[in-house]
Amino acid sequence: MRSITSLLILSASSNRTFKEPLINSQYSKFHSHFIHSLIWCFAGAAIYSILISFGYLFGVNFLKVIIFFVVVIEPKKMSSSKRKPSEEEECADLAMSIPGLGSQSNQPKPRVLGTSFFGYVPDAFSMKTPNLPSERSSQPSPPSVADKNKTPKNDQVNRKENDRKPEEKQETNKTVAISAPQDNQTRDDKPEDDAMAARAQSTTPVRKVPIHLQSAQNRLLIKNGKVVNADGIQDADVYVEEGVIKQVGNNLIVPGGSRVIDARGKFVIPGGIDTHTHLQLPFMGTTTADDFYTGTRAALAGGTTTIIDFVIPSKGQSLIEAYKQWRERADDKVACDYALHVAVTWWSPEVQQEMEELCRDHGINSFKMFMAYKDLWQLDDTELFEAFERCKQLGAVAQVHAENGDIIKENCKKLLAAGVTGPEGHELSRPEEVEAEAVNRACVLANQVNCPLYVVHVMSKSAGQVIAEKRREGIVVYGEPIAASLATDGRNYWHTCWRHAAAHVMGPPLRPDASTPDYLMDLLANDDLSLTGTDHCTFSTAQKEMGKGDFTKIPNGVNGVEERMSLVWEKGVVSGKMDPSRFVAVTSTNAAKIFNMYPKKGCIDVGSDADIVIWDPKLEHTISVATHHSAVDFNIFEGMTCRGGPEYVIANGRVTVDEGQVKAVQGYGSFIPTPAFAPFVYDAVAEREKVHQLIKVEREGRVIAVRNTAVAAAQPSATNGEASESSLASANGVEEAIPTADHSFVAHQHFTRPPTSSGGRNMQDTTFSLSAEYPSMADVEEEAKGKKNSIHVKNPPGGKSSGPFW
Ligand code: URP
Ligand code: ZN
Ligand code: ZN
């Protein structure tokens, strides 16, 4: 055999040597080819006869071996080793799956590109796929100016290898290899290469898959997994068709041709919902590195199938106009579903009117008010109060960025004057108490109008404590820690590498107290904090450098949309603080409930959207800028290892992460309207409403302590007012209402002794009684109907209140 090989090598090389001098003549070319072919014919014939003779000697049919080699093995090698299909083509491949054939190895294969014996024809199928608007997306909108401007020039440099088109792969063989650093210092003293910086421009998307082709791959059977919902875990199979979960259970009967995914040893969980992102946000003189495509692609890569982004109108801008801008930016780009919050950055009767319109006609049920960013977006206390009141009327959730903007402004001036210009100045200008004060103030203001409150990006222990205390008092408030505050800390601002320190700048800042992430995770596990977001708002190093000599000009924002799920699993579940059900609650279910997307989103159940993650607890992954999917050139979680991650991510029935391979499709996602009056939120508000009515203290004659306003309102018509008056008098005539400094407390407390000389509560006083002091709700209702004449309420139904009246 060795001699045959050398003969072939010799003939090939000899061919090359005599070919060069004749290269310019057609005749010589022909002559050269002719001789070349002749040599190959002779060589082939010789090899063939030798093989046949060996065959006879050893009883092997070499003819069959040769045919097998040529027809089966070689084309496979050609297609797999010479060229890997791009992300786009892989998606196209799946879209070409023929219903009924499936893709299991024991079934016939669907039509696949690039495996033809006659070689690969570039884009043979993909260019013929019509680019139809997704049936699921409501209104196809034209690309915005910003989108058009974003068409990348050096795209091929910075996209990951699998994302590239084949032509691009030939153009650049530059692989970006950055190993996980051992420590911060070594990592950041060596800024990543240009390829990383150019990543910020990476936006070339995979085209939309037409709906008729999407559906073909949408029949999925997920077998043998542990299905995790917020309320429990069950061993069950899940069957998905047309983007919806159709069956959950055992021994399911499903149509043939469904793709089967074996989830043995894995958890089957609802796709994550990231409650807080800023994609394509114009902010602090620049626009975030991630747009709605790269941001949602990153989300999917990490197991998040829905994001909620913030519409942020500029001061004086119509809220509706801003909302439409955001829809235009997002609709054709999102690779996963999305909803929107709207920020209220200024206050006027028009704004109030538009808030109503947004709730009624545009699927908005949450408004965010800034207590920071003075002179830009900040509202003062009166405006906050009115905004909360408006949210309450509309059935919306009031969200706050809670930091005292007035204090921050003054501190910044002082720090800059003192020569502190670096990123550490950012934290120094707004320490923990500046956040905690604002959280407390927001709770007080919201409670005055019984408005449900949602504190975005909880960053400090003290802010978390305030929320925990307020929740214990019965206030309807939800706290949202983010991936960054749960996994890293503010010591990074003191890092000697400016780039590293600046990359962590966000507001409110990460806290230098290194015990903060653990503490916040404890609160999250206990339901003192309710759910997780990321505040994913990325700026490249070049963008951060806008604040090189002045920390107040560093664009605020960090990454997290891709890392959140794995980090919460690692720090929450692997650490033993929470079980998989709580993990589901804080990564999807609670968000779906608060923003009224449940049970469409946030659970694995029949009828829910097929947003499903097959979570492999054994998957180990080290976070790195070199492998993340965001367009940004820095990752604040660089080098952290997470045990547990998504093996498959299914968004609306489509496998968007397949055995770890990301197959995002631009424009595949849809806008998800969020209706007002989410029952999860407003049922709690209504309960409190019942016990916090306006109470008038009657002073004529001897009086009772408390009456429910609902009763009082119903009473006059039932009793013509007179009876009502007399019914206020206590039967035994010993009870009197006694005013103190806290009117809301007076309204709901019953005292038997006068106050102390300083006006405080007499500690001899007691509300304890063995008699039945609390009327039942039935009593209250009966009185309201006029059946009962009077109710004496010492403590209102629902317990004592520290709250005011509504
Ligand atoms: O630093 C941050 N958080 N940037 C985004 C805007 C905001 O405050 O949420
Ligand atoms: Zn904020
Ligand atoms: Zn934010």
Side-chain angles (χ1 to χ4, degrees):
M1 274 312 260
R2 209 181 272 168
S3 60
I4 297 168
T5 321
S6 24
L7 172 74
L8 290 178
I9 292 170
L10 198 81
S11 74
S13 59
S14 63
N15 175 40
R16 217 173 287 137
T17 46
F18 68 68
K19 187 176 154 190
E20 304 303 6
L22 304 173
I23 200 96
N24 290 328
S25 135
Q26 287 295 323
Y27 170 77
S28 302
K29 263 193 198 166
F30 172 73
H31 186 241
S32 140
H33 283 300
F34 181 66
I35 292 177
H36 188 194
S37 310
L38 261 181
I39 291 171
W40 277 103
C41 280
F42 281 124
I47 296 165
Y48 181 74
S49 356
I50 292 165
L51 287 176
I52 297 295
S53 327
F54 271 104
Y56 276 116
L57 276 176
F58 300 108
V60 179
N61 189 340
F62 276 104
L63 185 60
K64 280 188 186 162
V65 173
I66 292 165
I67 292 170
F68 177 75
F69 179 79
V70 171
V71 174
V72 180
I73 297 181
E74 195 54 24
K76 270 197 186 155
K77 263 171 58 190
M78 274 169 66
S79 62
S80 64
S81 66
K82 286 193 180 163
R83 182 186 169 279
K84 251 184 135 185
S86 68
E87 180 181 288
E88 182 173 349
E89 284 147 7
E90 279 174 1
C91 292
D93 290 351
L94 280 170
M96 295 294 167
S97 298
I98 299 160
L101 290 187
S103 60
Q104 299 95 306
S105 53
N106 60 349
Q107 290 186 341
K109 291 272 183 242
R111 184 162 62 140
V112 181
L113 278 177
T115 56
S116 154
F117 175 61
F118 297 104
Y120 161 72
V121 182
D123 285 336
F125 302 138
S126 59
M127 297 312 289
K128 291 171 192 160
T129 305
N131 195 11
L132 303 175
S134 163
E135 218 173 79
R136 298 189 60 256
S137 61
S138 49
Q139 287 284 319
S141 44
S144 67
V145 178
D147 297 344
K148 284 177 191 152
N149 291 344
K150 273 217 150 183
T151 308
K153 286 196 183 109
N154 295 323
D155 222 9
Q156 67 273 29
V157 183
N158 47 49
R159 235 176 302 136
K160 259 172 279 306
E161 196 61 22
N162 281 342
D163 293 353
R164 294 181 192 165
K165 288 183 179 172
E167 314 85 81
E168 290 172 342
K169 284 186 188 174
Q170 283 161 14
E171 275 170 44
T172 172
N173 289 324
K174 193 173 170 190
T175 37
V176 180
I178 299 169
S179 53
Q182 295 310 302
D183 61 59
N184 290 345
Q185 193 67 46
T186 50
R187 172 169 77 234
D188 295 291
D189 288 346
K190 271 193 243 127
E192 282 77 11
D193 64 20
D194 295 343
M196 281 299 130
R199 184 200 284 278
Q201 299 302 317
S202 167
T203 53
T204 295
V206 176
R207 284 185 299 277
K208 270 184 192 176
V209 178
I211 191 74
H212 67 285
L213 294 176
Q214 286 169 27
S215 61
Q217 57 181 296
N218 274 358
R219 274 208 296 268
L220 288 176
L221 178 62
I222 302 163
K223 280 183 76 73
N224 307 320
K226 286 199 179 302
V227 174
V228 186
N229 277 309
D231 57 359
I233 304 183
Q234 123 191 62
D235 287 322
D237 299 342
V238 179
Y239 175 65
V240 167
E241 204 177 278
E242 299 298 330
V244 173
I245 298 174
K246 298 282 184 184
Q247 299 181 57
V248 179
N250 301 116
N251 306 316
L252 303 181
I253 298 171
V254 304
S258 306
R259 176 173 176 187
V260 179
I261 296 178
D262 186 12
R264 192 176 296 281
K266 322 268 164 69
F267 294 106
V268 179
I269 62 173
I273 301 176
D274 186 339
T275 48
H276 191 153
T277 66
H278 301 282
L279 304 177
Q280 253 170 285
L281 172 71
F283 183 42
M284 295 181 78
T286 184
T287 298
T288 53
D290 277 309
D291 65 12
F292 278 98
Y293 176 60
T294 61
T296 51
R297 183 183 62 180
L300 287 168
T304 288
T305 51
T306 306
I307 58 149
I308 316 184
D309 204 80
F310 285 86
V311 174
I312 308 191
S314 44
K315 224 186 177 90
Q317 187 187 10
S318 148
L319 271 56
I320 306 280
E321 183 188 292
Y323 164 86
K324 287 182 178 161
Q325 251 172 14
W326 251 260
R327 290 292 309 271
E328 234 171 64
R329 284 176 198 161
D331 280 350
D332 280 356
K333 284 208 171 184
V334 282
C336 71
D337 284 352
Y338 79 105
L340 292 169
H341 314 287
V342 175
V344 173
T345 51
W346 59 294
W347 194 241
S348 73
E350 297 82 63
V351 168
Q352 297 194 41
Q353 175 54 38
E354 290 200 329
M355 287 169 76
E356 183 178 3
E357 210 176 313
L358 285 164
C359 291
R360 195 187 54 226
D361 305 332
H362 298 291
I364 297 296
N365 72 6
S366 47
F367 295 96
K368 172 163 142 184
M369 277 62 72
F370 289 92
M371 300 169 83
Y373 301 116
K374 195 167 171 62
D375 307 322
L376 182 67
W377 296 333
Q378 184 175 328
L379 299 190
D380 66 27
D381 285 359
T382 311
E383 292 168 333
L384 279 175
F385 185 90
E386 289 178 17
F388 291 162
E389 203 160 33
R390 188 69 176 141
C391 285
K392 164 73 186 316
Q393 286 166 359
L394 297 172
V397 175
Q399 300 182 292
V400 281
H401 171 130
E403 283 186 294
N404 188 318
D406 297 325
I407 295 178
I408 293 170
K409 187 176 175 186
E410 292 310 309
N411 284 346
C412 284
K413 278 193 243 164
K414 281 185 198 157
L415 283 158
L416 289 173
V420 181
T421 57
E424 70 280 10
H426 179 72
E427 207 284 332
L428 293 171
S429 67
R430 56 205 89 197
E432 280 205 35
E433 62 181 10
V434 172
E435 183 187 359
E437 181 278 328
V439 171
N440 184 67
R441 186 157 37 102
C443 288
V444 172
L445 290 170
N447 188 41
Q448 295 306 303
V449 290
N450 197 20
C451 173
L453 183 70
Y454 180 108
V455 182
V456 303
H457 47 42
V458 176
M459 302 302 290
S460 64
K461 287 162 70 172
S462 42
Q465 275 161 12
V466 172
I467 294 168
E469 281 159 20
K470 294 293 178 186
R471 281 173 69 84
R472 273 167 187 63
E473 287 171 18
I475 289 173
V476 183
V477 55
Y478 309 101
E480 171 206 79
I482 60 172
S485 61
L486 291 167
T488 185
D489 65 63
R491 288 174 301 171
N492 288 293
Y493 298 126
W494 277 264
H495 199 285
T496 50
C497 169
W498 188 91
R499 175 176 188 252
H500 178 101
H504 290 78
V505 167
M506 66 160 296
L510 292 157
R511 300 303 173 186
D513 177 347
S515 64
T516 305
D518 262 1
Y519 187 87
L520 292 178
M521 188 56 84
D522 289 341
L523 296 184
L524 185 65
N526 294 338
D527 204 33
D528 287 324
L529 297 175
S530 302
L531 76 178
T532 55
T534 59
D535 201 3
H536 184 90
C537 182
T538 50
F539 296 102
S540 67
T541 302
Q543 292 174 301
K544 292 267 179 184
E545 274 169 359
M546 291 165 64
K548 197 75 197 240
D550 177 351
F551 68 83
T552 65
K553 295 195 167 60
I554 301 171
N556 285 204
V558 297
N559 64 294
V561 75
E562 182 168 351
E563 298 82 8
R564 178 184 67 120
M565 301 279 282
S566 292
L567 287 168
V568 175
W569 184 272
E570 171 69 27
K571 311 262 176 202
V573 181
V574 177
S575 70
K577 292 182 188 219
M578 56 175 75
D579 66 2
S581 282
R582 180 67 190 162
F583 172 78
V584 164
V586 301
T587 54
S588 68
T589 312
N590 290 354
K593 287 180 176 174
I594 291 171
F595 297 109
N596 214 0
M597 294 188 263
Y598 187 87
K600 177 181 170 65
K601 307 280 185 195
C603 67
I604 306 280
D605 205 353
V606 174
S608 297
D609 283 359
D611 292 344
I612 303 170
V613 176
I614 297 174
W615 190 265
D616 183 356
K618 296 208 174 81
L619 205 141
E620 206 168 292
H621 166 234
T622 299
I623 297 170
S624 174
V625 68
T627 49
H628 75 198
H629 291 77
S630 159
V632 78
D633 59 355
F634 192 94
N635 194 313
I636 62 164
F637 310 108
E638 183 77 37
M640 290 184 194
T641 296
C642 296
R643 289 157 289 178
E647 188 187 16
Y648 296 90
V649 178
I650 295 148
N652 284 295
R654 182 176 174 276
V655 184
T656 55
V657 175
D658 202 337
E659 293 180 21
Q661 287 282 309
V662 179
K663 296 172 173 176
V665 172
Q666 170 162 309
Y668 178 71
S670 299
F671 174 70
I672 305 295
T674 53
F677 290 104
F680 181 74
V681 175
Y682 271 85
D683 284 357
V685 169
E687 282 307 310
R688 284 172 57 73
E689 197 86 6
K690 283 183 193 160
V691 297
H692 288 265
Q693 302 287 342
L694 274 176
I695 309 292
K696 179 180 169 190
V697 176
E698 300 294 344
R699 291 196 171 75
E700 283 174 26
R702 309 193 62 104
V703 292
I704 170 215
V706 174
R707 272 166 41 85
N708 186 304
T709 323
V711 177
Q715 195 81 5
S717 59
T719 61
N720 211 13
E722 298 286 327
S724 169
E725 199 72 8
S726 62
S727 72
L728 290 171
S730 160
N732 59 22
V734 295
E735 297 169 345
E736 266 186 61
I738 299 166
T740 72
D742 178 348
H743 73 273
S744 62
F745 189 71
V746 168
H748 300 288
Q749 280 285 20
H750 168 75
F751 299 101
T752 55
R753 292 178 191 261
T756 62
S757 54
S758 62
R761 179 177 166 184
N762 190 323
M763 298 314 280
Q764 303 302 314
D765 182 29
T766 177
T767 56
F768 177 76
S769 163
L770 285 176
S771 63
E773 294 188 296
Y774 307 105
S776 68
M777 282 314 289
D779 286 342
V780 174
E781 277 158 18
E782 269 193 47
E783 196 198 11
K785 289 180 200 144
K787 290 187 189 153
K788 270 197 188 263
N789 273 347
S790 79
I791 294 173
H792 292 253
V793 184
K794 291 190 174 182
N795 280 314
K800 288 187 239 177
S801 165
S802 60
F805 55 82
W806 301 305

Coordinates of all heavy atoms in Angstrom, one line a residue, residues 307-335:
I307 N -38.6 39.0 27.6 CA -38.0 40.2 28.3 C -39.1 41.3 28.5 O -40.0 41.3 27.7 CB -36.8 40.7 27.6 CG1 -37.2 41.2 26.1 CG2 -35.6 39.7 27.5 CD1 -36.4 42.3 25.6
I308 N -38.9 42.1 29.5 CA -39.7 43.3 29.6 C -38.8 44.5 29.5 O -38.0 44.7 30.4 CB -40.6 43.3 30.8 CG1 -41.3 41.9 31.1 CG2 -41.7 44.4 30.7 CD1 -42.2 41.9 32.2
D309 N -38.9 45.3 28.5 CA -38.0 46.4 28.3 C -38.8 47.7 28.7 O -40.0 47.7 28.9 CB -37.7 46.5 26.8 CG -36.4 47.2 26.6 OD1 -35.3 46.6 26.7 OD2 -36.4 48.4 26.2
F310 N -38.0 48.8 28.8 CA -38.6 50.0 29.3 C -38.7 51.0 28.2 O -37.6 51.4 27.6 CB -37.7 50.6 30.4 CG -37.9 49.9 31.7 CD1 -37.1 48.8 32.0 CD2 -38.8 50.4 32.7 CE1 -37.3 48.2 33.2 CE2 -39.0 49.7 33.9 CZ -38.2 48.6 34.2
V311 N -39.9 51.5 27.9 CA -40.0 52.7 27.0 C -39.6 53.9 27.9 O -40.2 54.1 29.0 CB -41.5 52.8 26.6 CG1 -41.7 54.1 25.8 CG2 -41.9 51.6 25.8
I312 N -38.7 54.7 27.5 CA -38.3 55.8 28.3 C -38.4 57.1 27.4 O -37.5 57.4 26.6 CB -36.9 55.7 28.8 CG1 -36.7 54.4 29.6 CG2 -36.6 56.9 29.8 CD1 -35.4 54.2 30.4
P313 N -39.6 57.8 27.5 CA -39.8 59.0 26.7 C -38.8 60.1 27.2 O -38.5 60.1 28.4 CB -41.2 59.4 27.0 CG -41.8 58.3 27.8 CD -40.7 57.5 28.4
S314 N -38.4 60.9 26.3 CA -37.6 62.0 26.8 C -38.5 63.1 27.5 O -39.7 63.0 27.2 CB -36.8 62.7 25.7 OG -37.5 62.8 24.5
K315 N -38.0 63.9 28.3 CA -38.8 64.9 29.0 C -39.6 65.7 28.0 O -39.1 66.2 27.0 CB -37.9 65.8 29.8 CG -38.3 66.1 31.2 CD -37.4 67.2 31.8 CE -37.9 67.5 33.2 NZ -37.3 66.7 34.2
G316 N -40.9 65.7 28.2 CA -41.8 66.5 27.3 C -42.3 65.7 26.1 O -43.3 66.1 25.4
Q317 N -41.8 64.5 25.9 CA -42.2 63.7 24.8 C -43.5 63.0 25.1 O -43.8 62.5 26.3 CB -41.2 62.6 24.4 CG -41.5 61.9 23.1 CD -40.5 60.7 22.9 OE1 -39.7 60.4 23.7 NE2 -40.6 60.1 21.7
S318 N -44.4 62.8 24.1 CA -45.6 62.0 24.3 C -45.3 60.6 24.6 O -44.4 60.0 24.0 CB -46.4 62.1 23.0 OG -47.2 60.9 22.8
L319 N -46.0 60.1 25.6 CA -45.7 58.7 26.0 C -46.1 57.7 24.9 O -45.5 56.7 24.7 CB -46.5 58.4 27.3 CG -45.8 58.7 28.7 CD1 -45.4 60.1 28.8 CD2 -46.7 58.3 29.8
I320 N -47.2 58.0 24.3 CA -47.7 57.2 23.2 C -46.7 57.1 22.0 O -46.4 56.1 21.5 CB -49.0 57.6 22.6 CG1 -50.1 57.8 23.8 CG2 -49.6 56.8 21.5 CD1 -50.7 56.6 24.2
E321 N -46.2 58.3 21.7 CA -45.2 58.4 20.6 C -43.9 57.6 21.0 O -43.4 56.8 20.2 CB -44.8 59.9 20.5 CG -43.8 60.1 19.3 CD -43.3 61.6 19.4 OE1 -44.1 62.5 19.1 OE2 -42.1 61.8 19.7
A322 N -43.5 57.7 22.2 CA -42.3 56.9 22.7 C -42.6 55.4 22.6 O -41.8 54.6 22.2 CB -41.9 57.3 24.1
Y323 N -43.8 55.1 23.0 CA -44.2 53.6 23.0 C -44.1 53.1 21.6 O -43.6 52.0 21.3 CB -45.6 53.5 23.6 CG -46.3 52.2 23.2 CD1 -46.2 51.1 24.0 CD2 -47.2 52.1 22.1 CE1 -46.8 49.9 23.7 CE2 -47.8 50.9 21.8 CZ -47.6 49.8 22.6 OH -48.2 48.6 22.3
K324 N -44.6 53.9 20.6 CA -44.6 53.5 19.2 C -43.2 53.3 18.7 O -42.9 52.4 17.9 CB -45.4 54.4 18.4 CG -46.9 54.3 18.6 CD -47.8 55.2 17.7 CE -49.3 54.9 18.0 NZ -50.1 56.0 17.5
Q325 N -42.3 54.3 19.1 CA -40.9 54.2 18.8 C -40.3 52.9 19.2 O -39.6 52.2 18.5 CB -40.1 55.3 19.5 CG -39.7 56.4 18.6 CD -39.1 57.5 19.5 OE1 -38.8 57.4 20.7 NE2 -38.9 58.7 18.9
W326 N -40.6 52.5 20.5 CA -40.1 51.3 21.0 C -40.6 50.0 20.2 O -39.9 49.1 19.9 CB -40.4 51.2 22.5 CG -39.1 51.3 23.3 CD1 -38.4 50.4 23.9 CD2 -38.5 52.6 23.7 NE1 -37.3 50.9 24.6 CE2 -37.3 52.3 24.4 CE3 -38.7 53.9 23.4 CZ2 -36.5 53.3 24.9 CZ3 -37.9 54.9 23.9 CH2 -36.8 54.6 24.6
R327 N -41.9 50.1 19.9 CA -42.5 49.0 19.2 C -41.8 48.8 17.8 O -41.5 47.7 17.4 CB -44.0 49.2 19.0 CG -44.8 49.0 20.2 CD -44.9 47.6 20.8 NE -45.2 46.6 19.8 CZ -46.5 46.2 19.5 NH1 -47.5 46.8 20.1 NH2 -46.7 45.3 18.5
E328 N -41.5 50.0 17.2 CA -40.9 50.0 15.9 C -39.5 49.4 16.0 O -39.0 48.6 15.2 CB -40.8 51.4 15.4 CG -41.4 51.5 14.0 CD -41.5 53.0 13.6 OE1 -40.4 53.7 13.5 OE2 -42.6 53.5 13.4
R329 N -38.8 49.8 17.0 CA -37.4 49.3 17.2 C -37.4 47.8 17.5 O -36.5 47.0 17.0 CB -36.7 49.9 18.4 CG -36.3 51.3 18.2 CD -35.7 51.9 19.5 NE -35.6 53.4 19.3 CZ -35.6 54.2 20.3 NH1 -35.5 53.8 21.5 NH2 -35.5 55.5 20.1
A330 N -38.4 47.3 18.2 CA -38.4 45.9 18.7 C -39.0 44.9 17.8 O -38.5 43.8 17.6 CB -39.0 45.9 20.1
D331 N -40.2 45.3 17.2 CA -41.0 44.2 16.6 C -40.3 43.4 15.6 O -40.5 42.2 15.5 CB -42.3 44.9 16.0 CG -43.3 45.1 17.0 OD1 -43.2 44.7 18.2 OD2 -44.3 45.8 16.7
D332 N -39.5 44.0 14.7 CA -38.9 43.2 13.7 C -37.5 42.6 14.1 O -36.9 42.0 13.3 CB -38.7 44.1 12.4 CG -39.9 44.2 11.6 OD1 -40.9 43.6 12.0 OD2 -40.0 45.0 10.6
K333 N -37.2 42.9 15.3 CA -35.8 42.5 15.7 C -35.9 41.4 16.8 O -34.9 40.5 16.8 CB -35.0 43.6 16.3 CG -34.5 44.6 15.2 CD -33.3 45.3 15.6 CE -32.6 46.0 14.5 NZ -31.4 46.6 14.8
V334 N -36.9 41.4 17.7 CA -36.8 40.5 18.8 C -36.8 39.0 18.4 O -37.6 38.6 17.6 CB -38.0 40.7 19.8 CG1 -37.7 42.0 20.6 CG2 -39.3 40.9 19.0
A335 N -35.9 38.3 19.0 CA -35.8 36.9 18.7 C -36.7 36.1 19.8 O -36.8 34.9 19.7 CB -34.4 36.4 18.8

